[in-house]
Amino acid sequence: MNQQIKNALASYGRSVLGAATAMYASGVTDPQTLAYSLLGALVPVVLRAANPNDPAFGKMPSVEEVDRAVKTAKVVKKTAKKAPAKKSSGGGKTQQVK
């Protein structure tokens, strides 16, 4: 089974569980109303699948597009800035109480 289909089914399962739990917890026990809530749980999954920019279900870039992006990417190396040294006020000596 395709990984995108598995992801979509898992997402639908979470939506169904959430919708059914919310309906049942609010006192709705009518089977037809519960069935409508299960159908409504499909809406978020369909919306994600319709979004071409969604990395989980939407259109994924082709291998050629990824290769082209990797080859044209420019790496910028920055030097790490050192934190300023902490200054000690006591010089490391402890005072003795007499």
Side-chain angles (χ1 to χ4, degrees):
M1 188 181 290
N2 186 355
Q3 187 62 35
Q4 280 186 326
I5 293 173
K6 287 180 184 179
N7 291 342
L9 289 175
S11 180
Y12 179 65
R14 288 187 297 272
S15 294
V16 165
L17 185 61
T21 302
M23 294 293 286
Y24 190 77
S26 65
V28 176
T29 57
D30 178 38
Q32 184 178 8
T33 306
L34 289 174
Y36 285 138
S37 74
L38 300 181
L39 182 64
L42 185 62
V43 172
V45 180
V46 171
L47 289 175
R48 284 190 75 185
N51 181 3
N53 296 324
D54 191 326
F57 309 140
K59 176 187 172 284
M60 300 297 284
S62 67
V63 175
E64 292 81 21
E65 290 174 325
V66 174
D67 285 340
R68 191 174 333 115
V70 168
K71 288 177 183 176
T72 59
K74 294 181 180 178
V75 178
V76 178
K77 293 184 179 180
K78 293 185 178 180
T79 58
K81 293 183 180 179
K82 292 184 178 180
K86 293 184 180 180
K87 294 183 180 178
S88 164
S89 62
K93 297 179 182 178
T94 58
Q95 293 182 3
Q96 295 179 349
V97 178
K98 293 184 182 181

